[in-house]
């Protein structure tokens, strides 16, 4: 197999360059998933994959390129390879095991400030879960980390015990999974309120403007978002310039930062989804009654 990244953007000044190791990993993990996930990774698996990544590009930058956020590009790499493999005819159910686009981001969000009780500086580093894409066999998983990652979520109790914030919401996002015969997984919403102090916010994420795509007629998942003081007169985007990239954003006492992660894309025409599954999704709060009627044609 040749995986050719010729024509990719040149390396950038910001920290989004994917070093060659990231790029290779983003390719290798897809082929392992698409063939047999139970094969132990070994050199023989990789020998048949030829990766072409021009030096000086965003997938193979020259030193001293910034690359701390290169995992965001690695997410795009693995989504791209999945989408390419999905174009191979399945021959009635065979072929590569692929899924629609997942939430495709590390969802990095950092809140930093000074604890008003202890006087010590603190940093909260959140990289919460999102939805995986549906595939030809099943719905996408909800509230799991990107396929590129290997981290666990941080319990609300731990955050509130260690830091001067209150987590006011931590929930699945209704209708965030892309509609399909097999629905995309749901993203999450997590709200932090600052208690008794000012703080600063930084974000390195993705999928705020381009939704996770579906396959075989499946719909896209919901986009991500970062909002300060949602539902109030002072509601505003946390990253107005880039949507998902921001640095040193000021937050005041009592303000809320709401992080919404993307859902996964759906697989197949949603009208063909089993109506009983649609009803179960509505009862569980995964799909709204309005979406069930308008998209799945189930009342």
């Amino acid at each position: 197999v040749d995986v050719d990244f010729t024509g990719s953007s040149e390396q950038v000044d910001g920290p989004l360059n994917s070093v060659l190791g990231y790029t290779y990993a983003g390719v290798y993990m897809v082929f392992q998933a698409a063939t047999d996930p139970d094969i132990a990774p070994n050199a023989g698996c990789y020998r048949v994959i030829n990766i072409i990544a021009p030096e000086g590009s965003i997938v193979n930058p020259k030193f001293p390129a910034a690359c701390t956020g290169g995992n965001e590009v690695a997410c795009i790499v693995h989504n791209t390879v999945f989408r390419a493999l999905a174009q191979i005819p399945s021959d009635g159910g065979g072929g590569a095991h692929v899924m629609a686009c997942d939430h495709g981001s590390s969802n990095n969000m950092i809140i930093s400030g000074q604890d008003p009780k202890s006087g010590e500086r603190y940093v909260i580093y959140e990289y919460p879960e999102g939805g995986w894409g549906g595939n030809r066999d099943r719905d996408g998983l909800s509230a799991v980390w990107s396929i590129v990652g290997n981290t666990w979520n941080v319990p609300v109790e731990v955050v509130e015990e260690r830091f001067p914030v209150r987590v006011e919401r931590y929930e699945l996002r209704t209708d965030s999974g892309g509609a399909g015969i097999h629905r995309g997984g749901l993203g999450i919403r997590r709200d932090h309120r600052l208690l008794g102090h000012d703080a600063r916010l930084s974000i390195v994420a993705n999928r705020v403007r381009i939704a996770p795509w579906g396959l075989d007629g499946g719909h896209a998942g919901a986009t991500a978002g970062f909002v300060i003081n949602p539902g109030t007169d002072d509601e505003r985007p946390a990253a107005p310039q880039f949507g998902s990239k921001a640095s040193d954003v000021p937050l005041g006492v009592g303000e809320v930062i709401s992080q919404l992660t993307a859902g996964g894309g759906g697989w197949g025409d949603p009208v063909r989804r089993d109506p009983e599954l649609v009803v179960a999704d509505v009862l569980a709060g995964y799909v709204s009654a309005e979406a069930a009627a308008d998209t799945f044609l189930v009342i």
Side-chain angles (χ1 to χ4, degrees):
V1 176
D2 288 331
V3 181
D4 190 353
F5 290 101
T6 300
S8 297
S9 298
E10 295 182 0
Q11 66 186 63
V12 294
D13 292 335
L16 296 177
N17 299 290
S18 174
V19 295
L20 204 53
Y22 274 1
T23 300
Y24 275 44
V27 173
Y28 289 155
M29 69 176 65
V30 173
F31 279 97
Q32 185 170 9
T35 52
D36 184 353
D38 294 325
I39 296 174
N42 63 83
C45 295
Y46 308 145
R47 190 179 302 130
V48 295
I49 303 172
N50 178 39
I51 300 173
I52 303 167
E55 188 177 25
S57 68
I58 199 169
V59 293
N60 183 15
K62 296 179 180 178
F63 183 83
C67 57
T68 301
N71 52 326
E72 293 300 301
V73 172
C75 288
I76 297 172
V77 166
H78 95 260
N79 286 148
T80 302
V81 178
F82 263 133
R83 195 166 189 175
L85 291 177
Q87 298 178 51
I88 300 172
S90 62
D91 297 327
H97 302 286
V98 299
M99 69 178 188
C101 188
D102 73 351
H103 62 100
S105 177
S106 303
N107 301 307
N108 301 274
M109 189 182 78
I110 300 171
I111 304 171
S112 60
Q114 185 173 3
D115 190 323
K117 293 183 179 180
S118 67
E120 296 181 350
R121 298 286 300 174
Y122 73 87
V123 175
I124 301 173
Y125 195 154
E126 291 278 7
Y127 27 79
E129 320 77 32
W132 279 23
N135 62 32
R136 64 177 178 236
D137 299 317
R138 61 184 64 88
D139 292 344
L141 299 175
S142 296
V144 289
W145 221 78
S146 169
I147 191 174
V148 173
N150 59 357
T151 56
W152 293 4
N153 72 330
V154 180
V156 169
E157 294 83 359
V158 172
V159 174
E160 294 185 339
E161 173 68 23
R162 296 187 60 185
F163 304 108
V165 301
R166 183 167 61 239
V167 180
E168 299 196 337
R169 286 178 183 245
Y170 186 26
E171 61 191 21
L172 295 173
R173 297 177 61 198
T174 300
D175 291 334
S176 59
I181 297 175
H182 296 133
R183 173 183 47 74
L186 275 61
I188 63 100
R189 173 176 173 175
R190 191 165 168 119
D191 291 4
H192 294 76
R193 184 182 294 276
L194 298 182
L195 302 179
H197 71 295
D198 299 331
R200 296 281 172 168
L201 173 72
S202 294
I203 301 165
V204 178
N206 214 347
R207 293 294 173 192
V208 168
R209 295 181 178 167
I210 299 177
W213 37 264
L215 287 175
D216 279 8
H219 293 195
T223 54
F226 296 87
V227 183
I228 298 173
N229 300 325
T232 70
D233 293 338
D234 193 29
E235 178 178 325
R236 61 190 188 275
Q241 184 176 5
F242 297 111
S244 59
K245 316 287 190 301
S247 177
D248 206 30
V249 178
L251 298 173
V253 177
E255 290 202 302
V256 173
I257 172 64
S258 180
Q259 182 173 17
L260 300 90
T261 63
W267 181 291
D269 184 351
V271 175
R272 296 173 55 201
R273 183 169 175 81
D274 184 341
E276 292 187 3
L277 295 178
V278 179
V279 172
D281 282 345
V282 173
L283 294 176
Y286 299 161
V287 174
S288 66
E290 294 78 12
D294 294 344
T295 305
F296 295 95
L297 305 187
V298 175
I299 297 175

